[in-house]
Amino acid sequence: MSVPVPNAAPARAADASQAKPSILTVDDDPSVSRAVARDLRRRYGERYRIIRAESPESALEALREMTLRGEAVALILADYRMPMMSGIEFLEQAMDLFPMARRVLLTAYADTGAAIDAINLVDLDHYLLKPWDPPEEKLYPVVDALLEAWSTTENRPATDTRVIGHRWDPRSSEVREFLARNQLSYRWFMADEPEGARLLSAAGLDDTALPTVICADGTALVTPTDSELAAHLGLQTAPSGEFYDLVVVGGGPAGLGAALYGASEGLRTVLVERTATGGQAGQSSRIENYLGFPDGVSGAQLADRARRQATRFGAELITTRDVVALETNGSARTVRFDDGTSVDAHTVILATGVSYRQHDADGLEALTGRGVYYGSAVTEAARCADQDVYIVGGANSAGQGALFLARSARSVTIVVRAPSLAASMSHYLVAQIEKTPNVHVRTCTEVVGVDGTDHLESIRLRDNTTGDVESVDAGFLFLFIGAAPRTDWLGGLLARDQHGFILSGPDLLDSGAGQWPLDRMPHHLETSVPGVYAAGDVRSQSAKRVASAVGEGAMAVMLVHRYIANP
């Protein structure tokens, strides 16, 4: 439901400077700091707020305040040599606050080696040698290009979207996660705090109409669906055509890889995603074993780069469309949506990935979204500061979440049924966990219940070696358990294994689960329906790694070309 907000305009116009995105520069040398701020203000001061800091600590404090206020930061320039904290270390922390801001390192000629290393360490966009005189030749062209890239990033959000809700309301949590995963900035207000109450009053609403999202145009969306959010905040929700060469279902690493390579090789390509691109990998706080990023990259950054690459080559990316059926209509493959509409194509790549399995412990369902979360570690991290946090799961996603939350939480406890993490978690993560003092591991243990009134207050843990049950106080529980394929919507059209993963290529023939209809052998990733391919985690016997998913997406496109040329 949406309602007009007649009194919202004065609030937005109260301080025009606050609506400007910011450029922040930090250098401990006052003369250099003033010089770079002067040059930036001269060219960009009308469109951007120029913020100058003379220490990394004050710069980080300014960034934290802007994060809390929901402001946008377009560009951060940091000197390499600063006392107490180098420019690289500063930018690494700044990434967590504003991952979409472009990053520039200011360095002397002697430090260019460190600047080059920082390209991977902090996903550096550029480094500038000091001095940069004249700025018209050495500074402005670089900054112009970076600001253009930032401003034209797909789904660039309005900076004044505001969300009003309750702290422990499940739908409020889901709305915040949807906005964050789609790179849509927002300001969060508690309904029982003065500013939240003022906004609700301006919209003619009370605290029973929650969550409420106030958009840039003054429209208030009351308990909006994901589709309503997407439509009002500028995401593309419908394909522009009726027939394509390739429809990719699912926007995780495999789907993004397929869309990128499909579009770059001249195929009319559309990717359909039900929530947000990136999949489970997109929710990861840090992926450290992906080729080309020796010091890691966040899942959100990786997904954003892939999304921008795919759209630059001409792929359409459709969000908040739930695919409910796949049909064969002669030589066409039809993908049907939950609203009754459909799109046809020569070929389809299924890259729907997996979802976290639901835990059946007592009380969990009632407290989901009220302190109990499946995944979501990045979205909820700010609320976990100085809290005791528990994580269930022994795979990489659990380890990455634990290390990320450990930065601010008082303690993080990983609960795993196995006798150790070694069997299911990568060695590098196990080693990091062992070196992190506030991360603890409870092996041979499982959650058997949770308790709380309106939110999580305690967790019941059972020691499977002794059978003893212990109740521990906790405000947050994150579950990263198992992998359930999203394939129920396929019905009996495609052959699947006993766990629901899609059979393809040699596995399809070896299983005897499906009848292959053609004289030729199925392609390696081809399913039991010719012209339909499976890639990534949804495919039976896949490696369940980001790199392999991207590779399978690219490989599937090669096989699509082969199918189109010779069905």
Side-chain angles (χ1 to χ4, degrees), residues 190-268:
M190 300 284 285
D192 56 358
E193 293 180 347
E195 183 63 13
R198 187 189 70 80
L199 291 171
L200 287 174
S201 176
L205 302 169
D206 56 30
D207 61 5
T208 62
L210 297 176
T212 292
V213 178
I214 300 178
C215 305
D217 62 359
T219 301
L221 305 177
V222 180
T223 59
T225 65
D226 289 351
S227 296
E228 289 174 325
L229 286 171
H232 279 82
L233 297 177
L235 301 180
Q236 186 175 349
T237 59
S240 62
E242 297 180 353
F243 194 91
Y244 293 82
D245 294 317
L246 171 63
V247 173
V248 181
V249 183
L256 287 169
L260 167 62
Y261 283 96
S264 68
E265 294 176 12
L267 297 177
R268 291 169 296 168

Side-chain angles (χ1 to χ4, degrees), residues 230-411:
H232 279 82
L233 297 177
L235 301 180
Q236 186 175 349
T237 59
S240 62
E242 297 180 353
F243 194 91
Y244 293 82
D245 294 317
L246 171 63
V247 173
V248 181
V249 183
L256 287 169
L260 167 62
Y261 283 96
S264 68
E265 294 176 12
L267 297 177
R268 291 169 296 168
T269 302
V270 60
L271 182 150
V272 182
E273 166 57 45
R274 57 191 261 174
T275 304
T277 52
Q280 283 190 355
Q283 301 178 63
S284 176
S285 56
R286 181 72 67 182
I287 301 169
E288 296 190 72
N289 59 348
Y290 188 72
L291 183 68
F293 294 88
D295 294 286
V297 61
S298 74
Q301 288 174 311
L302 192 63
D304 177 66
R305 286 187 164 207
R307 180 174 57 244
R308 285 191 283 130
Q309 278 183 291
T311 55
R312 182 166 64 87
F313 283 117
E316 289 186 38
L317 270 60
I318 310 302
T319 55
T320 65
R321 296 304 296 269
D322 200 3
V323 176
V324 296
L326 175 65
E327 301 172 359
T328 58
N329 292 299
S331 62
R333 305 292 176 256
T334 300
V335 172
R336 295 203 175 277
F337 304 125
D338 58 349
D339 63 355
T341 61
S342 64
V343 63
D344 295 321
H346 288 301
T347 59
V348 173
I349 295 177
L350 301 175
T352 50
V354 295
S355 59
Y356 292 115
R357 294 188 185 278
Q358 301 295 298
H359 201 298
D360 60 359
D362 181 48
L364 274 179
E365 184 177 358
L367 294 179
T368 297
R370 305 174 186 270
V372 175
Y373 305 94
Y374 288 88
S376 307
V378 174
T379 306
E380 299 295 331
R383 300 168 62 193
C384 296
D386 300 319
Q387 299 288 317
D388 295 315
V389 177
Y390 282 74
I391 288 178
V392 177
N396 282 8
S397 56
Q400 291 161 349
L403 291 170
F404 180 74
L405 292 169
R407 298 179 186 180
S408 58
R410 179 167 52 227
S411 70

Side-chain angles (χ1 to χ4, degrees), residues 17-140:
S17 67
Q18 297 299 310
K20 294 181 181 179
S22 297
I23 297 175
L24 182 142
T25 174
V26 53
D27 195 305
D28 65 299
D29 186 332
S31 62
V32 175
S33 178
R34 286 193 295 270
V36 68
R38 178 199 63 218
D39 288 342
L40 290 171
R41 192 173 290 111
R42 181 184 303 159
R43 187 175 181 94
Y44 307 105
E46 291 185 4
R47 293 178 292 129
Y48 295 88
R49 190 158 61 109
I50 310 302
I51 300 173
R52 181 172 70 90
E54 294 184 2
S55 73
E57 293 80 8
S58 62
L60 286 172
E61 182 60 28
L63 289 174
R64 293 188 188 99
E65 291 179 5
M66 286 186 281
T67 301
L68 293 175
R69 293 196 298 265
E71 298 177 7
V73 175
L75 179 66
I76 301 173
L77 300 93
D79 183 48
Y80 171 63
R81 289 188 178 273
M82 293 186 289
M84 307 301 293
M85 185 186 302
S86 73
I88 296 175
E89 293 170 331
F90 164 77
L91 288 172
E92 190 171 22
Q93 295 189 41
M95 285 170 62
D96 294 332
L97 297 170
F98 287 95
M100 304 308 297
R102 302 310 189 207
R103 291 171 285 277
V104 176
L105 195 66
L106 303 176
T107 180
Y109 180 82
D111 297 322
T112 53
I116 293 171
D117 291 340
I119 290 173
N120 279 320
L121 181 63
V122 295
D123 200 16
L124 192 69
D125 293 295
H126 206 279
Y127 68 89
L128 285 172
L129 293 177
K130 297 187 292 185
W132 52 84
D133 288 325
E136 289 78 8
E137 295 179 12
K138 298 183 178 181
L139 176 65
Y140 296 151

